[in-house]
Amino acid sequence: MAGLAESGSNPDVDLLFDINGLAKDAPRWFDRVMEYVGEYGLVLAMVLLVVWCWWSVRRRGDEDAASSVAALVWAPLAAGIAVLVNVPIRGFVERPRPFRDHQGLEVLVSGKTDYSFVSDHATIAMALGVGLFVANRKFGLAGIALALLEGFCRIYMGVHYPTDVIGGFALGTAVALLLSPPAMALLTPVMSAVERSPRGGRLIKARGQSRAGGQGAVIPEARKETAGAEERDLAA
Protein backbone atom coordinates (compact mmCIF):
# COMPACT_ATOMS: atom_id res chain seq x y z
CA MET A 1 0.00 0.00 0.00
CA ALA A 2 2.99 2.27 0.26
CA GLY A 3 2.91 2.35 -3.52
CA LEU A 4 -0.12 4.63 -3.41
CA ALA A 5 2.23 7.60 -3.62
CA GLU A 6 4.79 6.40 -6.15
CA SER A 7 3.23 7.57 -9.38
CA GLY A 8 3.77 11.21 -10.35
CA SER A 9 0.50 11.13 -12.32
CA ASN A 10 -1.40 10.30 -9.17
CA PRO A 11 -3.96 13.08 -8.48
CA ASP A 12 -3.09 12.74 -4.80
CA VAL A 13 0.52 13.65 -5.54
CA ASP A 14 -0.44 16.37 -8.02
CA LEU A 15 -2.68 18.06 -5.44
CA LEU A 16 0.08 17.73 -2.85
CA PHE A 17 2.51 19.63 -5.09
CA ASP A 18 -0.12 22.24 -5.99
CA ILE A 19 -0.88 23.06 -2.35
CA ASN A 20 2.67 22.70 -1.08
CA GLY A 21 3.87 24.84 -3.98
CA LEU A 22 2.11 27.78 -2.33
CA ALA A 23 4.71 27.57 0.45
CA LYS A 24 7.53 28.15 -2.04
CA ASP A 25 5.96 31.35 -3.32
CA ALA A 26 4.93 32.67 0.12
CA PRO A 27 7.11 34.95 2.27
CA ARG A 28 9.27 33.21 4.83
CA TRP A 29 7.40 34.76 7.76
CA PHE A 30 4.10 33.41 6.41
CA ASP A 31 5.53 29.90 6.21
CA ARG A 32 6.64 30.20 9.85
CA VAL A 33 3.10 31.24 10.80
CA MET A 34 1.61 28.31 8.89
CA GLU A 35 4.10 25.96 10.55
CA TYR A 36 3.04 27.06 14.04
CA VAL A 37 -0.66 27.17 13.19
CA GLY A 38 -0.64 23.75 11.53
CA GLU A 39 1.46 22.05 14.20
CA TYR A 40 0.03 23.59 17.39
CA GLY A 41 -2.21 26.60 16.87
CA LEU A 42 -5.34 25.07 15.39
CA VAL A 43 -5.47 22.16 17.81
CA LEU A 44 -5.13 24.65 20.67
CA ALA A 45 -7.88 26.77 19.09
CA MET A 46 -10.13 23.68 18.97
CA VAL A 47 -9.56 23.03 22.67
CA LEU A 48 -10.34 26.67 23.50
CA LEU A 49 -13.49 26.44 21.39
CA VAL A 50 -14.66 23.45 23.42
CA VAL A 51 -13.97 25.38 26.65
CA TRP A 52 -15.83 28.40 25.29
CA CYS A 53 -18.83 26.24 24.42
CA TRP A 54 -18.77 24.70 27.91
CA TRP A 55 -18.71 28.17 29.48
CA SER A 56 -21.66 29.23 27.32
CA VAL A 57 -23.68 26.13 28.22
CA ARG A 58 -22.85 26.59 31.92
CA ARG A 59 -23.90 30.24 31.99
CA ARG A 60 -27.10 29.61 30.05
CA GLY A 61 -28.13 26.92 32.53
CA ASP A 62 -30.73 25.13 30.37
CA GLU A 63 -32.55 22.03 31.57
CA ASP A 64 -30.47 19.89 29.19
CA ALA A 65 -27.18 21.38 30.42
CA ALA A 66 -26.02 18.00 31.75
CA SER A 67 -26.43 16.31 28.36
CA SER A 68 -24.73 19.23 26.60
CA VAL A 69 -21.74 19.06 28.94
CA ALA A 70 -21.66 15.27 28.45
CA ALA A 71 -21.37 15.86 24.70
CA LEU A 72 -18.53 18.32 25.29
CA VAL A 73 -16.72 15.78 27.46
CA TRP A 74 -17.17 13.25 24.68
CA ALA A 75 -15.46 15.47 22.10
CA PRO A 76 -11.89 15.16 23.49
CA LEU A 77 -12.53 11.53 24.43
CA ALA A 78 -13.53 10.83 20.83
CA ALA A 79 -10.33 12.50 19.61
CA GLY A 80 -8.24 10.34 21.93
CA ILE A 81 -9.99 7.13 20.89
CA ALA A 82 -9.61 8.04 17.20
CA VAL A 83 -5.85 8.49 17.65
CA LEU A 84 -5.62 5.09 19.31
CA VAL A 85 -7.58 3.51 16.45
CA ASN A 86 -5.13 5.12 14.05
CA VAL A 87 -2.15 3.30 15.59
CA PRO A 88 -2.89 -0.09 13.96
CA ILE A 89 -4.05 1.63 10.76
CA ARG A 90 -0.68 3.34 10.37
CA GLY A 91 1.15 0.12 11.08
CA PHE A 92 -0.90 -1.76 8.50
CA VAL A 93 -0.66 0.79 5.66
CA GLU A 94 2.98 1.81 6.34
CA ARG A 95 2.85 4.79 4.04
CA PRO A 96 6.02 6.94 4.18
CA ARG A 97 5.87 10.69 4.54
CA PRO A 98 5.56 12.39 1.14
CA PHE A 99 8.96 14.10 1.36
CA ARG A 100 10.61 10.67 1.56
CA ASP A 101 9.29 9.60 -1.84
CA HIS A 102 9.13 12.93 -3.67
CA GLN A 103 11.85 15.49 -4.20
CA GLY A 104 11.15 19.21 -4.43
CA LEU A 105 8.66 19.58 -1.60
CA GLU A 106 8.90 22.56 0.73
CA VAL A 107 8.88 20.80 4.11
CA LEU A 108 8.14 23.26 6.91
CA VAL A 109 8.52 20.80 9.82
CA SER A 110 11.52 18.52 10.11
CA GLY A 111 11.98 15.38 12.17
CA LYS A 112 8.83 13.55 11.05
CA THR A 113 9.89 9.90 10.93
CA ASP A 114 6.59 8.09 11.51
CA TYR A 115 4.14 6.94 8.85
CA SER A 116 1.89 9.32 7.00
CA PHE A 117 -1.53 7.62 6.67
CA VAL A 118 -3.68 8.75 8.35
CA SER A 119 -2.95 12.23 9.71
CA ASP A 120 -3.20 12.41 13.51
CA HIS A 121 -3.72 16.16 13.41
CA ALA A 122 -6.59 15.88 10.93
CA THR A 123 -8.09 13.03 12.96
CA ILE A 124 -7.96 14.93 16.25
CA ALA A 125 -9.26 18.17 14.76
CA MET A 126 -12.24 16.58 13.00
CA ALA A 127 -13.14 14.39 15.99
CA LEU A 128 -13.21 17.52 18.16
CA GLY A 129 -15.20 19.44 15.56
CA VAL A 130 -17.81 16.73 15.05
CA GLY A 131 -18.01 16.02 18.78
CA LEU A 132 -18.56 19.73 19.34
CA PHE A 133 -21.28 19.70 16.68
CA VAL A 134 -23.11 17.03 18.67
CA ALA A 135 -23.20 19.42 21.63
CA ASN A 136 -23.85 22.70 19.82
CA ARG A 137 -24.32 23.26 16.09
CA LYS A 138 -22.99 26.83 16.01
CA PHE A 139 -19.78 25.97 17.83
CA GLY A 140 -19.59 22.69 15.95
CA LEU A 141 -19.63 24.37 12.53
CA ALA A 142 -16.82 26.63 13.68
CA GLY A 143 -14.91 23.57 14.90
CA ILE A 144 -15.38 21.72 11.61
CA ALA A 145 -14.16 24.80 9.73
CA LEU A 146 -11.01 24.84 11.89
CA ALA A 147 -10.54 21.12 11.22
CA LEU A 148 -10.68 21.70 7.46
CA LEU A 149 -8.11 24.46 7.83
CA GLU A 150 -5.93 22.08 9.84
CA GLY A 151 -6.03 19.57 7.00
CA PHE A 152 -5.03 22.22 4.49
CA CYS A 153 -2.11 23.27 6.69
CA ARG A 154 -0.77 19.71 6.94
CA ILE A 155 -0.61 19.47 3.14
CA TYR A 156 0.80 22.98 2.82
CA MET A 157 3.56 22.04 5.27
CA GLY A 158 4.56 19.08 3.08
CA VAL A 159 4.11 16.43 5.78
CA HIS A 160 0.94 14.72 4.52
CA TYR A 161 -0.75 13.70 1.29
CA PRO A 162 -4.32 14.95 0.72
CA THR A 163 -5.59 11.39 1.17
CA ASP A 164 -3.86 11.26 4.57
CA VAL A 165 -5.93 14.24 5.60
CA ILE A 166 -9.16 12.90 4.09
CA GLY A 167 -8.58 9.61 5.89
CA GLY A 168 -8.08 11.51 9.15
CA PHE A 169 -11.31 13.42 8.61
CA ALA A 170 -13.18 10.18 7.96
CA LEU A 171 -11.70 8.44 10.98
CA GLY A 172 -12.38 11.33 13.35
CA THR A 173 -15.95 11.71 12.08
CA ALA A 174 -16.68 7.97 12.30
CA VAL A 175 -15.45 7.65 15.87
CA ALA A 176 -17.21 10.82 17.06
CA LEU A 177 -20.56 9.88 15.50
CA LEU A 178 -20.71 6.09 15.71
CA LEU A 179 -19.63 5.91 19.34
CA SER A 180 -21.62 8.96 20.39
CA PRO A 181 -24.84 7.10 21.41
CA PRO A 182 -23.18 4.70 23.88
CA ALA A 183 -20.86 7.46 25.09
CA MET A 184 -23.77 9.79 25.77
CA ALA A 185 -25.68 6.99 27.48
CA LEU A 186 -22.76 6.63 29.90
CA LEU A 187 -21.72 10.27 30.29
CA THR A 188 -25.12 11.95 30.65
CA PRO A 189 -26.04 10.21 33.96
CA VAL A 190 -22.58 11.02 35.26
CA MET A 191 -22.97 14.71 34.39
CA SER A 192 -26.47 14.71 35.91
CA ALA A 193 -25.01 13.36 39.15
CA VAL A 194 -22.32 16.03 39.05
CA GLU A 195 -25.01 18.66 38.50
CA ARG A 196 -26.82 17.56 41.66
CA SER A 197 -23.69 17.65 43.82
CA PRO A 198 -23.14 20.78 45.97
CA ARG A 199 -19.73 21.66 44.54
CA GLY A 200 -19.56 19.87 41.22
CA GLY A 201 -22.85 21.38 40.12
CA ARG A 202 -21.03 24.60 39.27
CA LEU A 203 -19.32 22.75 36.43
CA ILE A 204 -22.70 22.12 34.79
CA LYS A 205 -24.69 25.24 35.66
CA ALA A 206 -23.74 28.61 37.05
CA ARG A 207 -25.46 28.92 40.43
CA GLY A 208 -26.88 32.34 39.73
CA GLN A 209 -28.38 31.16 36.47
CA SER A 210 -29.95 28.08 38.01
CA ARG A 211 -31.53 30.07 40.82
CA ALA A 212 -32.85 32.66 38.39
CA GLY A 213 -34.52 30.01 36.30
CA GLY A 214 -35.89 27.96 39.17
CA GLN A 215 -39.35 28.03 40.69
CA GLY A 216 -38.05 29.74 43.80
CA ALA A 217 -36.79 32.78 41.90
CA VAL A 218 -37.95 36.07 43.38
CA ILE A 219 -38.88 38.88 41.01
CA PRO A 220 -38.42 42.34 42.65
CA GLU A 221 -41.57 43.81 41.10
CA ALA A 222 -43.60 40.85 42.32
CA ARG A 223 -42.21 41.36 45.83
CA LYS A 224 -43.28 45.02 45.79
CA GLU A 225 -46.75 44.15 44.57
CA THR A 226 -47.10 41.48 47.26
CA ALA A 227 -45.93 43.87 49.95
CA GLY A 228 -48.40 46.51 48.76
CA ALA A 229 -51.26 44.01 48.82
CA GLU A 230 -50.36 42.98 52.37
CA GLU A 231 -50.36 46.62 53.51
CA ARG A 232 -53.79 47.19 51.96
CA ASP A 233 -55.09 44.08 53.72
CA LEU A 234 -53.81 45.34 57.05
CA ALA A 235 -55.33 48.78 56.49
CA ALA A 236 -58.68 47.23 55.77
Side-chain angles (χ1 to χ4, degrees):
M1 291 189 180
L4 287 171
E6 292 179 357
S7 173
S9 62
N10 190 328
D12 192 25
V13 178
D14 294 340
L15 185 57
L16 165 67
F17 275 95
D18 288 341
I19 296 177
N20 180 254
L22 300 174
K24 294 183 178 181
D25 300 329
R28 192 65 178 171
W29 64 265
F30 184 80
D31 284 349
R32 296 283 72 81
V33 170
M34 291 293 285
E35 174 187 347
Y36 177 81
V37 169
E39 193 73 9
Y40 309 106
L42 286 173
V43 174
L44 177 60
M46 294 289 296
V47 173
L48 293 177
L49 191 63
V50 172
V51 173
W52 184 10
C53 185
W54 163 75
W55 186 259
S56 176
V57 169
R58 177 182 174 273
R59 290 193 63 185
R60 192 167 61 245
D62 294 339
E63 293 182 358
D64 60 346
S67 60
S68 296
V69 173
L72 291 174
V73 172
W74 166 240
L77 290 177
I81 293 173
V83 170
L84 291 177
V85 173
N86 189 30
V87 172
I89 293 177
R90 279 193 168 194
F92 176 74
V93 178
E94 295 184 345
R95 187 185 203 182
R97 295 279 180 170
F99 53 80
R100 293 185 175 276
D101 289 335
H102 302 282
Q103 301 296 322
L105 290 173
E106 185 75 11
V107 184
L108 302 187
V109 180
S110 60
K112 298 289 184 181
T113 58
D114 55 344
Y115 293 121
S116 184
F117 186 90
V118 296
S119 167
D120 277 339
H121 281 74
T123 300
I124 292 172
M126 189 56 74
L128 286 171
V130 174
L132 193 57
F133 186 82
V134 173
N136 184 288
R137 289 190 176 183
K138 180 178 69 174
F139 283 94
L141 289 175
I144 292 173
L146 289 178
L148 294 174
L149 181 58
E150 175 68 46
F152 176 84
C153 287
R154 302 307 290 178
I155 305 171
Y156 181 96
M157 294 160 61
V159 295
H160 280 294
Y161 294 97
T163 48
D164 297 338
V165 170
I166 294 172
F169 288 163
L171 177 59
T173 300
V175 170
L177 289 182
L178 295 179
L179 298 183
S180 178
M184 292 298 294
L186 292 173
L187 291 172
T188 300
V190 174
M191 294 301 108
S192 298
V194 172
E195 181 183 1
R196 292 191 296 268
S197 65
R199 295 182 180 179
R202 295 178 182 271
L203 297 173
I204 310 299
K205 287 184 180 180
R207 291 304 186 188
Q209 294 292 332
S210 60
R211 284 197 299 267
Q215 296 180 351
V218 179
I219 303 175
E221 290 77 12
R223 182 187 297 175
K224 292 179 182 178
E225 292 178 1
T226 303
E230 290 178 355
E231 290 178 358
R232 289 194 297 271
D233 291 340
L234 291 175

